[in-house]
Amino acid sequence: MSPAPPGSQVAPLPTNLPFRLVSKTIGQGAYASIRKAVPHNAPKPIIAIKFINKDHAFRTGRLTAKQINMEIILHKHLGKHAHVIHCLGSGEDALWTWIAMELAEGGDLFDKIEADAGVGEDIAHLYFTQLVSAVGYMHSKGVAHRDIKPENVLLSAEGDLKLSDFGLAALFKKDGQLRLCNTVCGSPPYIAPEIVIGRRSKRADVLDVGYAANICDIWSCGVVLFVLVVGNTPWDEPTTRSEEFKEYVQTGGHTTDELWAQLPAEIASLLRGMLKVDPKERFTLDEIRTHPWFTRKNSYLSPNGRNANPIGLATQMLSQLRIDFSRPPTQSQRGFSQGEEDGDAMDIDDSSCPRRSSAINLLCSTQPETPIADTPFDWERPPRLASHDGISASQPTTGQQQLAYRTATTASTPFISQLPSSTQDMLSQDPSMTQFSQTPGVPLTFTQAARKFADVLPSYSMARFISPHALDLLLPMLLEALHRLGVPAPSFTEPQIAKAESTGSVSIRVKMADGRRQGLNGHIVVEKAMYDGVGYNEVRFVKASGDPLEWRRFFKNVVLCIGDVVLRPG
């Protein structure tokens, strides 16, 4: 296989690895992709391997060999902690650097949180406590994370928090001596103000006067707590360009913003201490740990800081993922999307701005634009109910089966109760179906046989739905929904749709800015499946990069635009 073009991530992976790869891509960053692996000739343990494309990182990105090496050194230096992803080893060849890590079997935490709703006080308290534990441990080792945000907060199989991605970590203390950092880095909604407003007379990404990276971590933890409780960020960026932040500063933290009004008084008190604009006045970790809200009792929190009720917690979180079909979609995305065929990006007129839209500062973000157009869709498919008979990715094989599939598409707003009983039984075990029910709750069958958190709330994304409608109806509706949401999409010709029907799948590449003007990239994948001899389409929204809550919001908006074709409980 010849090397891939510069800037692409399709260069052949190393062949002399001390483990065996067992998955397609399960995660992606600006310069890296992640896959699962196991030891040679053994099924366990399953670990995660981060592959960094050196050519793309060095030639078209901002990374250097020194920075990659520093990530590995600091990650190994951290050692083992219950709430920090453990580094197991590393290596490289001419094209790639790889890092072997503990696998977060529970997936992304914020993929399991409802946008604009949050998780409630007890669950927020559990995960904030574990985040503070992880950050406190890192700081005790002299390491600051510098990139604390939802994309980097993962879960174990039991639902415990795991802090990940140390590509921007920095050593702020060595041999008892403190040092300041000068690099401008971070995601604008989560970054501390002293980094954004610092003077940069020499280079755009280097401050004249350094900042205390560990104190900046505390600011980011505060924003994450806000998002856990509310389901949205308090501002786009901590500058006067954001009206929300401007009012927050002017009122000394007693803003009239409706999101702050949703916070319980004790959480608001803690956040005002963590989000002090002056870093010298900002709460220390000790002040956070002694705050009344932090020390409150919580039935989900065990004495050793772990999740005390994995099944109950997963059940509660799954029940909170809900799509209200009576509400209209909100236009909070803008950008461009492309289908499988190559096409030019289309600029769009930014004429409709959501609540969280300020003229975002084009600062040095932690997720620079990934060459999505050069990256083939190679993501691992979440396991369907493969243990049940009657489910297949193959197409109908007889005229009668094909007719059944076509007949099913004539119904509007299809319900599971309209399907054969055996199909109902299979689909009722799909956790993603619960989000479309208008009656809150989780079926008892989900919890009766569950032994761990991931048995109820799986690692894969809930951003998916099933439709009995044919692709020649479904695909145009998806493309129209993207246009309606301000995400222009290409037209698919009849031959292209016919080709997709024959292959059983099609992928729409999506690249946009979210409601906070940050990059949001991924694919909408439609794949055919068989249930009891009848064809259906499974539609998955696969995020490649960007904020998980914003991706969840995007998924909900598309579903609300095409709700009549989404299979629902009932």
Side-chain angles (χ1 to χ4, degrees):
M1 185 183 296
S2 60
S8 119
Q9 293 199 32
V10 293
L13 293 175
T15 56
N16 59 338
L17 297 169
F19 41 75
R20 177 169 51 93
L21 298 178
V22 293
S23 80
K24 295 183 177 181
T25 302
I26 61 170
Q28 180 176 293
Y31 313 116
S33 60
I34 299 175
R35 298 194 181 203
K36 296 177 187 176
V38 297
H40 288 299
N41 305 316
K44 290 182 178 181
I46 302 175
I47 61 175
I49 311 297
K50 179 178 180 178
F51 289 100
I52 301 171
N53 184 310
K54 293 196 286 190
D55 180 75
H56 173 48
F58 300 160
R59 296 179 56 182
T60 65
R62 298 194 309 270
L63 280 184
T64 65
K66 180 180 178 181
Q67 288 172 309
I68 294 176
N69 189 48
M70 183 57 67
E71 174 182 356
I72 295 170
I73 290 173
L74 291 181
H75 198 172
K76 288 180 178 178
H77 170 68
L78 288 174
K80 285 190 175 183
H81 185 268
H83 304 301
V84 175
I85 290 292
H86 183 210
C87 181
L88 303 172
S90 63
E92 65 178 325
D93 66 4
L95 298 175
W96 299 90
T97 294
W98 57 264
I99 307 172
M101 301 175 290
E102 171 189 11
L103 175 67
E105 296 179 82
D108 295 351
L109 167 60
F110 282 83
D111 178 54
K112 299 165 176 56
I113 295 175
E114 191 60 88
D116 304 311
V119 292
E121 197 168 348
D122 284 345
I123 299 175
H125 180 263
L126 168 70
Y127 286 128
F128 179 70
T129 300
Q130 294 185 340
L131 177 62
V132 169
S133 175
V135 172
Y137 172 76
M138 289 187 64
H139 289 184
S140 73
K141 304 281 281 187
V143 179
H145 191 282
R146 297 202 303 175
D147 198 19
I148 296 170
K149 59 183 180 180
E151 294 98 303
N152 296 332
V153 181
L154 308 178
L155 293 176
S156 71
E158 294 297 341
D160 287 305
L161 181 144
K162 295 281 187 178
L163 189 58
S164 71
D165 197 339
F166 304 95
L168 289 174
L171 197 66
F172 71 89
K173 183 171 62 176
K174 185 178 181 182
D175 299 327
Q177 297 296 312
L178 296 174
R179 60 178 289 269
L180 300 179
C181 296
N182 293 79
T183 304
V184 178
C185 60
S187 181
Y190 300 89
I191 199 169
E194 59 264 32
I195 300 177
V196 184
I197 63 176
R199 188 167 178 237
R200 291 167 270 180
S201 63
K202 298 174 183 177
R203 281 173 43 183
D205 61 342
V206 177
L207 297 178
D208 294 351
V209 178
Y211 57 87
N214 56 321
I215 298 177
C216 291
D217 277 354
I218 289 175
W219 177 281
S220 300
C221 287
V223 179
V224 167
L225 173 57
F226 188 100
V227 177
L228 280 168
V229 179
V230 175
N232 206 334
T233 56
W235 39 69
D236 294 325
E237 56 173 319
T239 73
T240 54
R241 283 183 291 269
S242 165
E243 289 300 320
E244 290 83 18
F245 181 75
K246 186 177 179 180
E247 185 189 1
Y248 174 82
V249 174
Q250 290 174 341
T251 60
H254 295 272
T255 173
T256 60
D257 187 294
E258 67 269 19
L259 295 186
W260 282 84
Q262 298 177 32
L263 297 172
E266 282 195 330
I267 297 180
S269 164
L270 174 58
L271 284 173
R272 291 189 193 103
M274 297 180 68
L275 300 176
K276 289 284 188 183
V277 175
D278 185 347
K280 295 185 180 66
E281 298 179 5
R282 199 169 299 158
F283 273 7
T284 63
L285 285 172
D286 284 341
E287 288 175 308
I288 293 170
R289 294 187 188 106
T290 56
H291 189 276
W293 186 78
F294 190 89
T295 58
R296 70 192 288 272
K297 291 186 177 181
N298 185 350
S299 61
Y300 286 124
L301 189 62
S302 69
N304 67 356
R306 304 292 182 91
N307 179 1
N309 184 2
I311 307 303
L313 179 67
T315 303
Q316 179 65 22
M317 292 179 70
L318 181 58
S319 70
Q320 292 171 342
L321 291 172
R322 189 75 48 199
I323 296 177
D324 184 356
F325 287 96
S326 67
R327 300 184 64 179
T330 57
Q331 183 171 350
S332 61
Q333 292 82 30
R334 55 184 61 77
F336 69 89
S337 64
Q338 295 174 303
E340 285 188 306
E341 303 299 320
D342 290 336
D344 295 328
M346 291 174 282
D347 295 328
I348 74 162
D349 180 23
D350 184 20
S351 58
S352 176
C353 296
R355 176 187 178 279
R356 298 289 182 211
S357 60
S358 65
I360 195 71
N361 177 36
L362 298 177
L363 100 135
C364 186
S365 180
T366 61
Q367 288 284 345
E369 290 304 315
T370 299
I372 292 294
D374 295 333
T375 307
F377 182 81
D378 189 35
W379 287 73
E380 182 177 53
R381 183 176 191 164
R384 271 207 213 95
L385 307 177
S387 60
H388 297 269
D389 294 331
I391 302 179
S392 167
S394 63
Q395 296 182 63
T397 55
T398 69
Q400 184 177 7
Q401 289 171 330
Q402 184 69 43
L403 178 63
Y405 172 73
R406 289 290 176 181
T407 303
T409 68
T410 61
S412 62
T413 315
F415 291 98
I416 293 179
S417 59
Q418 300 167 337
L419 305 178
S421 58
S422 56
T423 305
Q424 292 184 43
D425 291 341
M426 288 186 287
L427 292 178
S428 67
Q429 299 305 307
D430 186 340
S432 65
M433 279 292 174
T434 63
Q435 66 190 316
F436 305 117
S437 172
Q438 298 312 288
T439 304
V442 175
L444 283 176
T445 53
F446 278 39
T447 58
Q448 287 173 334
R451 294 293 177 266
K452 57 186 179 180
F453 179 93
D455 290 338
V456 177
L457 194 52
S459 61
Y460 59 81
S461 172
M462 295 290 101
R464 60 188 290 270
F465 67 84
I466 295 171
S467 175
H469 290 255
L471 192 62
D472 56 5
L473 170 67
L474 189 57
L475 185 56
M477 291 185 71
L478 283 168
L479 298 175
E480 175 58 32
L482 294 178
H483 282 296
R484 180 178 171 187
L485 294 171
V487 184
S491 299
F492 278 71
T493 64
E494 288 188 12
Q496 287 175 315
I497 296 177
K499 179 182 177 182
E501 283 277 15
S502 66
T503 60
S505 68
V506 66
S507 172
I508 305 171
R509 195 176 292 125
V510 181
K511 185 176 180 181
M512 71 194 92
D514 63 27
R516 305 159 310 144
R517 308 294 183 99
Q518 298 300 292
L520 194 60
N521 307 313
H523 292 80
I524 301 175
V525 185
V526 186
E527 293 180 300
K528 195 168 291 183
M530 294 292 296
Y531 294 82
D532 288 333
V534 179
Y536 296 80
N537 278 305
E538 179 187 49
V539 183
R540 292 188 289 131
F541 289 64
V542 183
K543 180 180 73 70
S545 64
D547 188 286
L549 261 74
E550 291 289 335
W551 187 254
R552 170 76 185 172
R553 188 176 287 112
F554 167 62
F555 161 70
K556 288 174 62 178
N557 282 338
V558 173
V559 167
L560 291 174
C561 287
I562 61 170
D564 286 347
V565 302
V566 176
L567 187 62
R568 310 183 201 175

